[in-house]
Structures are given as C-alpha cells and as structure tokens.
Amino acid sequence: MKIVAALGGNALSRRGEPITSQNLRKNVREAVEPLAGLALEHDLVLTHGNGPQVGLLALQNLAYEEIAAYPLDILGAETQGMLGYVVGQELMNAVRLKKEMATILTTTAVAGDDPAFDNPTKFVGPVYSEERANELAAEHGWTIAQDGEWWRRVVPSPEPLHIRQAATIRALSEMGLIVLCVGGGGVPVVADYEAGHLRGVEAVIDKDLASAVLAHDIEADLLLLLTDADAVYLDWGTPEQRAIERATPEALAEFGFAAGSMGPKVDAARRFVADGHGEAVIGSLSKLGEILAGTSGTRIVGSGDLRFYS
C-alpha cells in the first residue's frame, strides 16, 4: 500500500520547549519509532512541518543587522535540509538500516495572485507572551496573532496547487525507497510557464494541504494526518463531545472546525478523498497501530454513514 504520512509540528517541537538540536533529535526519535513498521511493510512517503524551525532561523537571521534578511522561501529550504537530515537519520535508525530512503528538496507551486498574500494566517516560530510578541512585531514589522494562550508570528499561506517533484517522489517510492519530502509544505514557488521561469515567494504553505496535494499527485492509497489528537471531535471541550469514527467528505463539510487546530487537517483529508484516489485518517501518532487496525482515528471515506465511537 502506498501511504503518505504527515507528521504534525508537535512531533518535532513541543509547545513552549526550547528549539535546541538536542530537543529536536529527542522528539524526532520518539516520533519516528512508531513509523518503523509502517515503513518496512508499505511504500511510505513521509512529510513534516517546519513552523518552529523556520521561525527560529528567521530570528537568527535578524541578528546579522549588516546583512539583509533572507526571505522565507530560502529559510524554508534550509529547514528542509536540517529536518531532512535529522528525521531521515532517526528513521533509518528506527528501521535498523533494513530499507533505504531518499530526502527530496521539494517546491510547491502557488498562484502569484493568491489572496493569502494580503492576509497572513500561518503560524511560524516560537511562542511569546503578548507583550513580547508586540515588541517583536513593532521591531521587525511582523504580523502577530494569538495561538492558544500564547502569541506567534503569522505569515501568508497560499493554496498549494501541485508538487513540482511529484513524479520523482513517485518513482523513488515505486523503487522501494522511503521518501521524505514536502518539508514544511514545500518551498512556495510561482511558475511563469510562458517565460519558463520560477521564483520563490515569501510564504509558508500548510503542510497538511500540501501533503494532500502530494497524495493526489502520486495516487496514494492512504493519507495519514498524524497529530496529538486521537480523532476528530464534534463539540470538543464540552460534555457532549463525540469522536468521529468514519465520515465522508460531504458529512464533514457540514461541521465547522477551528482554523488554528483541526480545520486544515479536516480540509486536507476531505480534498484528497473527494478526488477519489483513496482514504484518509486523522489520528494520534502514538496510536498508529490502532489506526491501522481501524480502532482509532477518524477515517474519511468515499461513501457510508457518519459514525461515532461509542
């Protein structure tokens, strides 16, 4: 089975935890351990987030005041290399070198006139108190927004149209390699086909939406959106909360999910399944075995009744 699995940002960086190389490697080692069996038994294509890391690089970049700051597309490419090395190495250790892998520097096509460029919404970088976030916004010209009880920088997040390296990723997967790609949603680029020209843009693409586009492009059988929640819930945080077991894209469209948490995952899963290529599951990385057994996670399918866990 061809599986695209998207690791949530919480798998690489814990909220409020210092973004050190030691913490990164510890978190990655814990995250990839459950994926080892999946990688050995199936054709695994793995994607991951990069929000905290790209934000940290942006902050470090600003320390060199005599040099113009590097744009987000270049910083995104840097994180693909950094995280590709750590995630790739730890995954290879987890499978005991029983399977080879390839890490692909990935670019994702977006539209140059996407309205997201005028409405920054994507969180990047560390969390701050409101006071500190306002200080940094004033100093660097950032846009900030509340993320739970904290505040963070937000940047444009345009719609991913297609993964430019999809054919290469598919070929490598079909050769039997584990493929690590679409880090942070891929580096956003605008293509001018008449001029035969590509240019990077200042933005960060949602990793889950980009993973859904990749799963479509390579005709995956299953899209796994792995997070710290064991399922998609209705009426979350209330006495009436219910965990969804199975749903169609049409059924999920009837409900509203928070843009800052489950919304992008539900949207990504709906899009992939609606295209008719396969199924999607949203669930907890720590319960991966149960997800594959069908006893955990929310499975999005092409047809059937809406079902809840009892």
Side-chain angles (χ1 to χ4, degrees):
M1 182 163 56
K2 187 183 300 180
I3 300 174
V4 172
L7 277 180
N10 59 289
L12 308 182
S13 179
R14 307 285 190 260
R15 185 177 292 269
E17 178 183 79
I19 310 174
T20 64
S21 62
Q22 293 85 357
N23 285 336
L24 172 63
R25 191 170 286 278
K26 171 181 66 68
N27 294 337
V28 168
R29 185 177 299 119
E30 294 173 359
V32 300
E33 191 64 36
L35 294 168
L38 192 70
L40 291 173
E41 295 172 15
H42 300 281
D43 295 328
L44 177 64
V45 177
L46 184 63
T47 69
H48 60 82
N50 74 340
Q53 290 76 26
V54 77
L56 177 64
L57 287 181
L59 281 174
Q60 293 174 335
N61 194 20
L62 291 171
Y64 295 91
E65 297 180 355
E66 69 279 8
I67 300 174
Y70 276 41
L72 280 173
D73 58 318
I74 292 181
L75 298 181
E78 286 188 51
T79 64
Q80 284 196 32
M82 174 179 66
L83 294 173
Y85 166 66
V86 176
V87 175
Q89 188 175 80
E90 293 300 333
L91 183 54
M92 290 298 291
N93 291 340
V95 301
R96 304 295 187 265
L97 303 181
K98 294 178 181 177
K99 198 170 184 178
E100 291 301 321
M101 72 174 296
T103 301
I104 304 298
L105 179 63
T106 313
T107 55
T108 302
V110 302
D113 58 355
D114 192 302
F117 289 110
D118 297 321
N119 181 33
T121 59
K122 182 67 174 175
F123 291 112
V124 299
V127 296
Y128 303 101
S129 67
E130 182 177 6
E131 180 181 4
R132 181 57 179 156
N134 281 314
E135 290 174 355
L136 290 168
E139 183 177 354
H140 301 302
W142 291 355
T143 301
I144 60 169
Q146 193 165 7
D147 183 12
E149 62 182 279
W150 303 91
W151 290 75
R152 296 176 72 188
R153 181 187 178 189
V154 288
V155 300
S157 183
E159 185 85 6
L161 301 178
H162 65 90
I163 307 303
R164 293 194 53 80
Q165 292 76 24
T168 300
I169 293 166
R170 179 171 183 166
L172 290 169
S173 177
E174 291 175 351
M175 289 170 58
L177 277 70
I178 305 167
V179 186
L180 181 63
C181 57
V182 192
V187 178
V189 296
V190 173
D192 182 342
Y193 290 102
E194 290 187 3
H197 180 262
L198 292 172
R199 63 179 176 87
V201 289
E202 279 264 62
V204 172
I205 299 171
D206 182 85
K207 171 263 306 172
D208 293 313
L209 293 180
S211 298
V213 171
L214 172 68
H216 170 272
D217 288 351
I218 68 172
E219 297 185 335
D221 301 299
L222 179 64
L223 171 63
L224 288 177
L225 300 173
L226 301 170
T227 181
D228 53 359
D230 62 352
V232 177
Y233 284 78
L234 295 185
D235 304 315
W236 171 254
T238 73
E240 291 77 32
Q241 72 179 29
R242 296 169 292 167
I244 300 173
E245 180 181 355
R246 293 171 69 89
T248 64
E250 295 76 17
L252 287 176
E254 299 296 319
F255 308 109
F257 299 95
S261 58
M262 197 58 75
K265 290 179 172 53
V266 170
D267 190 18
R270 287 181 55 243
R271 294 188 195 193
F272 173 65
V273 175
D275 284 340
H277 284 300
E279 297 182 352
V281 181
I282 302 172
S284 172
L285 174 63
S286 65
K287 295 187 176 182
L288 182 57
E290 296 171 47
I291 287 174
L292 297 175
T295 59
S296 185
T298 296
R299 185 170 293 266
I300 298 86
V301 296
S303 62
D305 296 329
L306 178 65
R307 293 181 0 204
F308 295 90
Y309 285 102
S310 57

